[in-house]
């Protein structure tokens, strides 16, 4: 029996085809029903689904942007922001829980974060978790609320933080570029499996647009954070 790859297309998408081979001839399922019972069905795998590939790449790039947004939110910028506590974990009933799950977090003014534990037995535990974290601020406990006073940033510290933010943003850009590169490699390989060069070029152009959109998001996040840091 002769095997040959065959691809079908419907509504612009590559589809699997169920075909049959008999005496070196290919038959559709309907035609095969009129042939000998010795006909062997073959299920032919599809080539890469371009739309699915682009969606996958877009999702990976979006994850890089979301990771950057989370990283930048935890960088202290001189104003009270409860997100600087996102990395703090507290042991509660044997489970390490985020601080926001065991206490109310508010910013009563631009220089203060107020933490009100839901369970008073957690005051000491929360204090220790904050001291042991990378927040870098000593908590004050009056028995009702734990307060974090946000100290003003020096000019030198502001410059250090903008450099830190730029590094985080560059890491996100590299991750996004790597996704684009891997996507292009997969498209190039798909040509060998039957994808037309025109479709590959169109897909590559669309992938570039997705890439550019996410790079722009990274730059906007960085610009916003740097402005926040440099605002006295």
């Amino acid at each position: 029996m002769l095997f040959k790859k065959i691809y079908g297309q419907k509504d612009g998408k590559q589809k699997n085809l169920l075909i049959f081979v008999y005496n070196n001839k290919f038959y559709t399922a309907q035609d095969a029903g009129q042939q000998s019972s010795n006909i062997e069905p073959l299920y032919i795998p599809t080539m890469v689904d371009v739309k699915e590939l682009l969606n996958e790449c877009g999702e990976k790039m979006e994850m890089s942007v979301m990771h950057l947004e989370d990283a930048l939110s935890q960088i202290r910028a001189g104003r009270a922001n409860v997100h600087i506590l996102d990395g703090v974990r507290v042991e509660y009933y044997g489970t390490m829980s985020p601080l926001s799950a065991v206490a109310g977090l508010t910013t009563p003014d631009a220089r203060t974060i107020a933490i009100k534990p839901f369970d008073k037995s957690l005051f000491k535990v929360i204090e220790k978790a904050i001291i042991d974290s990378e927040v870098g601020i000593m908590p004050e406990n009056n028995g009702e609320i734990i307060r974090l006073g946000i100290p003003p940033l020096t000019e030198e510290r502001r410059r250090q933080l903008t450099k830190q933010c730029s590094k985080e943003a560059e890491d996100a850009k590299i991750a996004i570029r790597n996704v684009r590169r891997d996507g292009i490699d997969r498209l190039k390989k798909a040509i060998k499996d039957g994808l037309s060069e025109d479709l590959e070029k169109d897909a590559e152009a669309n992938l570039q647009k997705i890439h550019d959109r996410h790079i722009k998001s990274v730059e906007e996040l960085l610009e916003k954070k740097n402005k926040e840091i440099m605002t006295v």
Side-chain angles (χ1 to χ4, degrees), residues 71-95:
L72 293 181
S73 72
Q74 296 185 48
I75 295 177
R76 184 161 58 86
R79 293 181 63 85
N81 185 339
V82 297
H83 289 297
I84 67 171
L85 299 171
D86 285 351
V88 178
R89 294 291 183 271
V90 177
E91 185 174 354
Y92 188 55
Y93 287 105
T95 301

mmCIF file of all heavy atoms in Angstrom, residues 71-95:
data_model
loop_
_atom_site.group_PDB
_atom_site.id
_atom_site.type_symbol
_atom_site.label_atom_id
_atom_site.label_comp_id
_atom_site.label_asym_id
_atom_site.label_seq_id
_atom_site.Cartn_x
_atom_site.Cartn_y
_atom_site.Cartn_z
ATOM 1 N N ALA A 71 5.753 42.112 39.267
ATOM 2 C CA ALA A 71 7.083 42.436 39.793
ATOM 3 C C ALA A 71 7.209 43.929 40.088
ATOM 4 O O ALA A 71 7.737 44.328 41.135
ATOM 5 C CB ALA A 71 8.153 42.000 38.797
ATOM 6 N N LEU A 72 6.709 44.766 39.188
ATOM 7 C CA LEU A 72 6.806 46.215 39.383
ATOM 8 C C LEU A 72 5.947 46.680 40.556
ATOM 9 O O LEU A 72 6.309 47.622 41.268
ATOM 10 C CB LEU A 72 6.379 46.945 38.104
ATOM 11 C CG LEU A 72 7.288 46.770 36.876
ATOM 12 C CD1 LEU A 72 6.747 47.574 35.696
ATOM 13 C CD2 LEU A 72 8.720 47.178 37.186
ATOM 14 N N SER A 73 4.811 46.011 40.761
ATOM 15 C CA SER A 73 3.910 46.419 41.847
ATOM 16 C C SER A 73 4.547 46.204 43.214
ATOM 17 O O SER A 73 4.161 46.841 44.198
ATOM 18 C CB SER A 73 2.587 45.649 41.752
ATOM 19 O OG SER A 73 2.760 44.291 42.122
ATOM 20 N N GLN A 74 5.524 45.305 43.285
ATOM 21 C CA GLN A 74 6.163 45.003 44.559
ATOM 22 C C GLN A 74 7.407 45.855 44.816
ATOM 23 O O GLN A 74 8.070 45.700 45.845
ATOM 24 C CB GLN A 74 6.527 43.516 44.607
ATOM 25 C CG GLN A 74 5.308 42.600 44.558
ATOM 26 C CD GLN A 74 5.655 41.137 44.714
ATOM 27 O OE1 GLN A 74 6.403 40.750 45.599
ATOM 28 N NE2 GLN A 74 5.106 40.303 43.850
ATOM 29 N N ILE A 75 7.739 46.731 43.882
ATOM 30 C CA ILE A 75 8.869 47.643 44.070
ATOM 31 C C ILE A 75 8.368 48.920 44.725
ATOM 32 O O ILE A 75 7.523 49.613 44.178
ATOM 33 C CB ILE A 75 9.553 47.950 42.722
ATOM 34 C CG1 ILE A 75 10.168 46.671 42.149
ATOM 35 C CG2 ILE A 75 10.616 49.028 42.897
ATOM 36 C CD1 ILE A 75 10.801 46.842 40.785
ATOM 37 N N ARG A 76 8.883 49.209 45.908
ATOM 38 C CA ARG A 76 8.415 50.367 46.676
ATOM 39 C C ARG A 76 8.791 51.663 45.985
ATOM 40 O O ARG A 76 9.945 51.866 45.607
ATOM 41 C CB ARG A 76 9.015 50.316 48.086
ATOM 42 C CG ARG A 76 8.542 51.404 49.001
ATOM 43 C CD ARG A 76 8.802 51.019 50.450
ATOM 44 N NE ARG A 76 10.212 50.751 50.705
ATOM 45 C CZ ARG A 76 11.101 51.705 51.014
ATOM 46 N NH1 ARG A 76 10.725 52.960 51.075
ATOM 47 N NH2 ARG A 76 12.351 51.382 51.258
ATOM 48 N N ALA A 77 7.820 52.542 45.828
ATOM 49 C CA ALA A 77 8.052 53.762 45.056
ATOM 50 C C ALA A 77 7.855 55.037 45.859
ATOM 51 O O ALA A 77 7.665 56.106 45.297
ATOM 52 C CB ALA A 77 7.125 53.782 43.841
ATOM 53 N N GLY A 78 7.905 54.957 47.178
ATOM 54 C CA GLY A 78 7.794 56.164 47.983
ATOM 55 C C GLY A 78 6.390 56.473 48.460
ATOM 56 O O GLY A 78 6.190 57.229 49.401
ATOM 57 N N ARG A 79 5.394 55.895 47.812
ATOM 58 C CA ARG A 79 4.002 56.062 48.228
ATOM 59 C C ARG A 79 3.474 54.727 48.742
ATOM 60 O O ARG A 79 3.904 53.668 48.307
ATOM 61 C CB ARG A 79 3.135 56.539 47.052
ATOM 62 C CG ARG A 79 3.466 57.950 46.589
ATOM 63 C CD ARG A 79 2.564 58.364 45.440
ATOM 64 N NE ARG A 79 1.160 58.403 45.847
ATOM 65 C CZ ARG A 79 0.582 59.451 46.434
ATOM 66 N NH1 ARG A 79 1.282 60.528 46.704
ATOM 67 N NH2 ARG A 79 -0.695 59.415 46.756
ATOM 68 N N ALA A 80 2.543 54.799 49.671
ATOM 69 C CA ALA A 80 1.983 53.577 50.250
ATOM 70 C C ALA A 80 1.257 52.769 49.181
ATOM 71 O O ALA A 80 0.413 53.291 48.456
ATOM 72 C CB ALA A 80 1.021 53.935 51.379
ATOM 73 N N ASN A 81 1.599 51.505 49.097
ATOM 74 C CA ASN A 81 0.988 50.605 48.117
ATOM 75 C C ASN A 81 0.970 49.204 48.722
ATOM 76 O O ASN A 81 2.029 48.628 48.985
ATOM 77 C CB ASN A 81 1.788 50.617 46.814
ATOM 78 C CG ASN A 81 1.134 49.803 45.713
ATOM 79 O OD1 ASN A 81 0.322 48.926 45.981
ATOM 80 N ND2 ASN A 81 1.496 50.074 44.475
ATOM 81 N N VAL A 82 -0.210 48.666 48.945
ATOM 82 C CA VAL A 82 -0.323 47.363 49.615
ATOM 83 C C VAL A 82 0.325 46.238 48.806
ATOM 84 O O VAL A 82 0.630 45.175 49.363
ATOM 85 C CB VAL A 82 -1.801 47.005 49.900
ATOM 86 C CG1 VAL A 82 -2.417 48.014 50.858
ATOM 87 C CG2 VAL A 82 -2.618 46.912 48.612
ATOM 88 N N HIS A 83 0.557 46.456 47.528
ATOM 89 C CA HIS A 83 1.136 45.399 46.697
ATOM 90 C C HIS A 83 2.589 45.092 47.058
ATOM 91 O O HIS A 83 3.112 44.047 46.656
ATOM 92 C CB HIS A 83 1.028 45.753 45.218
ATOM 93 C CG HIS A 83 -0.375 45.682 44.686
ATOM 94 N ND1 HIS A 83 -1.094 44.507 44.652
ATOM 95 C CD2 HIS A 83 -1.193 46.638 44.197
ATOM 96 C CE1 HIS A 83 -2.287 44.739 44.149
ATOM 97 N NE2 HIS A 83 -2.382 46.022 43.873
ATOM 98 N N ILE A 84 3.238 46.001 47.803
ATOM 99 C CA ILE A 84 4.610 45.682 48.210
ATOM 100 C C ILE A 84 4.615 44.514 49.195
ATOM 101 O O ILE A 84 5.664 43.924 49.476
ATOM 102 C CB ILE A 84 5.328 46.897 48.839
ATOM 103 C CG1 ILE A 84 4.698 47.282 50.182
ATOM 104 C CG2 ILE A 84 5.346 48.070 47.876
ATOM 105 C CD1 ILE A 84 5.484 48.331 50.944
ATOM 106 N N LEU A 85 3.435 44.157 49.696
ATOM 107 C CA LEU A 85 3.308 43.042 50.641
ATOM 108 C C LEU A 85 2.872 41.749 49.969
ATOM 109 O O LEU A 85 2.646 40.740 50.644
ATOM 110 C CB LEU A 85 2.306 43.402 51.745
ATOM 111 C CG LEU A 85 2.666 44.627 52.608
ATOM 112 C CD1 LEU A 85 1.501 45.000 53.510
ATOM 113 C CD2 LEU A 85 3.916 44.355 53.426
ATOM 114 N N ASP A 86 2.749 41.760 48.643
ATOM 115 C CA ASP A 86 2.264 40.573 47.927
ATOM 116 C C ASP A 86 3.146 39.352 48.143
ATOM 117 O O ASP A 86 2.672 38.217 48.084
ATOM 118 C CB ASP A 86 2.156 40.867 46.425
ATOM 119 C CG ASP A 86 0.956 41.726 46.078
ATOM 120 O OD1 ASP A 86 0.114 41.947 46.980
ATOM 121 O OD2 ASP A 86 0.856 42.170 44.920
ATOM 122 N N GLY A 87 4.424 39.578 48.372
ATOM 123 C CA GLY A 87 5.338 38.446 48.546
ATOM 124 C C GLY A 87 5.406 37.919 49.966
ATOM 125 O O GLY A 87 6.073 36.907 50.224
ATOM 126 N N VAL A 88 4.717 38.573 50.901
ATOM 127 C CA VAL A 88 4.750 38.146 52.307
ATOM 128 C C VAL A 88 3.785 36.987 52.535
ATOM 129 O O VAL A 88 2.612 37.062 52.169
ATOM 130 C CB VAL A 88 4.390 39.316 53.253
ATOM 131 C CG1 VAL A 88 4.386 38.847 54.704
ATOM 132 C CG2 VAL A 88 5.365 40.471 53.070
ATOM 133 N N ARG A 89 4.299 35.925 53.124
ATOM 134 C CA ARG A 89 3.485 34.747 53.439
ATOM 135 C C ARG A 89 3.467 34.515 54.945
ATOM 136 O O ARG A 89 4.474 34.689 55.623
ATOM 137 C CB ARG A 89 4.034 33.495 52.727
ATOM 138 C CG ARG A 89 3.928 33.555 51.202
ATOM 139 C CD ARG A 89 2.478 33.476 50.769
ATOM 140 N NE ARG A 89 2.331 33.458 49.327
ATOM 141 C CZ ARG A 89 2.216 34.532 48.563
ATOM 142 N NH1 ARG A 89 2.248 35.738 49.137
ATOM 143 N NH2 ARG A 89 2.072 34.440 47.264
ATOM 144 N N VAL A 90 2.302 34.115 55.451
ATOM 145 C CA VAL A 90 2.116 33.897 56.889
ATOM 146 C C VAL A 90 1.585 32.482 57.117
ATOM 147 O O VAL A 90 0.678 32.034 56.410
ATOM 148 C CB VAL A 90 1.109 34.921 57.470
ATOM 149 C CG1 VAL A 90 0.869 34.653 58.939
ATOM 150 C CG2 VAL A 90 1.614 36.344 57.258
ATOM 151 N N GLU A 91 2.159 31.798 58.105
ATOM 152 C CA GLU A 91 1.680 30.444 58.416
ATOM 153 C C GLU A 91 0.392 30.537 59.215
ATOM 154 O O GLU A 91 0.330 31.165 60.278
ATOM 155 C CB GLU A 91 2.722 29.663 59.200
ATOM 156 C CG GLU A 91 2.307 28.207 59.435
ATOM 157 C CD GLU A 91 3.394 27.381 60.086
ATOM 158 O OE1 GLU A 91 4.505 27.897 60.264
ATOM 159 O OE2 GLU A 91 3.102 26.219 60.407
ATOM 160 N N TYR A 92 -0.660 29.929 58.680
ATOM 161 C CA TYR A 92 -1.966 29.984 59.332
ATOM 162 C C TYR A 92 -2.604 28.599 59.246
ATOM 163 O O TYR A 92 -2.873 28.096 58.147
ATOM 164 C CB TYR A 92 -2.842 31.032 58.645
ATOM 165 C CG TYR A 92 -4.150 31.314 59.346
ATOM 166 C CD1 TYR A 92 -4.181 31.700 60.681
ATOM 167 C CD2 TYR A 92 -5.361 31.217 58.661
ATOM 168 C CE1 TYR A 92 -5.385 31.979 61.324
ATOM 169 C CE2 TYR A 92 -6.570 31.499 59.298
ATOM 170 C CZ TYR A 92 -6.577 31.874 60.624
ATOM 171 O OH TYR A 92 -7.762 32.147 61.263
ATOM 172 N N TYR A 93 -2.778 27.959 60.399
ATOM 173 C CA TYR A 93 -3.309 26.591 60.456
ATOM 174 C C TYR A 93 -2.507 25.630 59.574
ATOM 175 O O TYR A 93 -3.058 24.819 58.843
ATOM 176 C CB TYR A 93 -4.787 26.568 60.063
ATOM 177 C CG TYR A 93 -5.704 27.133 61.119
ATOM 178 C CD1 TYR A 93 -6.267 28.392 60.981
ATOM 179 C CD2 TYR A 93 -6.001 26.408 62.273
ATOM 180 C CE1 TYR A 93 -7.104 28.932 61.960
ATOM 181 C CE2 TYR A 93 -6.829 26.927 63.265
ATOM 182 C CZ TYR A 93 -7.373 28.186 63.100
ATOM 183 O OH TYR A 93 -8.204 28.707 64.083
ATOM 184 N N GLY A 94 -1.193 25.781 59.655
ATOM 185 C CA GLY A 94 -0.306 24.865 58.949
ATOM 186 C C GLY A 94 -0.124 25.153 57.474
ATOM 187 O O GLY A 94 0.566 24.406 56.783
ATOM 188 N N THR A 95 -0.721 26.227 56.985
ATOM 189 C CA THR A 95 -0.608 26.565 55.563
ATOM 190 C C THR A 95 0.006 27.953 55.398
ATOM 191 O O THR A 95 -0.367 28.894 56.102
ATOM 192 C CB THR A 95 -1.994 26.558 54.892
ATOM 193 O OG1 THR A 95 -2.569 25.256 55.040
ATOM 194 C CG2 THR A 95 -1.883 26.880 53.399
#
